[in-house]
Every structure is written in C-alpha cells, then in structure tokens.
Amino acid sequence: MTISLKIVFDSSTAPARVQIVADLPPLTGSTKQVAWATDLREAATYDVAGAMARTANVVIGTMRADETETIAQTNTRLEEIFSRPGGNIMRAALQELFSVPDAKWWIDHRGGAYRAELNTMFRRLYEGGNHV
C-alpha cells in the first residue's frame, strides 16, 4: 500500500481538505460493523492528514477546486513531509495503521483513540532502527 497526502474536494463548491490517499484494504466484520468502520476510517484519513499538514505549516484554508496550479504545488509540499527526518517512519506507521482490516478495531478505536495506536506504531518503528 502506498500512502500519500492529497488535497481533496467533496464537491466543486466545498472547501479543500487534506486526506490520506491509499488503496485501503476492505474491512471485515458484520455488515453493520463494516458500514460504521468505513466512516470512522475515512474520518481518520482526514484527521491524521490535517494534523500532518498543520505540523508542516501547509495552509489550505480558502483553496478552490479550480486552482489547479496551487493544488499541485500544495500536494508537492504535502508529499515532502515524508522526505523530512522521520518521514519514512511516519509513512510506514500510517501504512500499518490504515492496513488494519478489522472493522471492530476501528470501532473500538473511534473518537481519535487510533492516534495512540499510531504513536505506538511510530515509536516501535523508530526504536527498531527504521529511521534512515
């Protein structure tokens, strides 16, 4: 799975948002669990990406869908986050987090509880020497 950060628009009139974009695995569980967890996981892709963008001082506030050059430049800046020190570890931790296919796990970690797991994944990868 390849993780990237991208500017996305829900519609041509909606404000821009930053989202983690990846080919996520299908969720497993009951139909009800999968439906709920799909929404929770999608919200997490926006939450984590937004936090990363803010940390990198990437401002998207009033960007419009027709500002293609600005969007392309901002997407490049977002991807540069992964080339900073520790960026490869962050990408690996995000890949691990968003590879979790268990709908029940996403439900149990709703409300931002997945952030603690992401921190744990990041620390484990860092301490394992994966910080080239």
Side-chain angles (χ1 to χ4, degrees):
M1 167 189 341
T2 301
I3 294 278
S4 62
L5 297 173
K6 299 280 184 213
I7 300 291
V8 295
F9 297 88
D10 293 333
S11 71
S12 62
T13 58
R17 297 194 293 172
V18 181
Q19 183 180 24
I20 289 176
V21 178
D23 187 19
L24 302 176
L27 293 169
T28 59
S30 71
T31 304
K32 185 176 179 180
Q33 286 176 321
V34 168
W36 187 10
T38 297
D39 292 341
L40 294 170
R41 182 172 69 174
E42 181 178 5
T45 66
Y46 287 110
D47 177 51
V48 172
M52 291 178 70
R54 286 187 299 280
T55 300
N57 294 318
V58 175
V59 179
I60 60 163
T62 59
M63 197 176 300
R64 294 186 327 267
D66 62 352
E67 296 180 272
T68 55
E69 187 173 323
T70 303
I71 292 168
Q73 290 169 352
T74 304
N75 281 336
T76 298
R77 287 189 58 215
L78 289 168
E79 278 304 301
E80 288 170 354
I81 292 170
F82 293 120
S83 63
R84 295 178 180 176
N88 63 322
I89 300 170
M90 181 52 69
R91 188 184 303 263
L94 290 169
Q95 288 171 335
E96 188 173 327
L97 175 70
F98 288 106
S99 291
V100 174
D102 183 24
K104 183 181 180 318
W105 186 94
W106 286 99
I107 293 166
D108 290 346
H109 291 84
R110 68 186 177 274
Y114 59 83
R115 290 185 205 120
E117 292 298 320
L118 179 59
N119 278 337
T120 300
M121 293 169 184
F122 183 86
R123 276 195 314 277
R124 180 179 39 74
L125 290 165
Y126 183 83
E127 291 166 359
N130 297 321
H131 46 79
V132 177

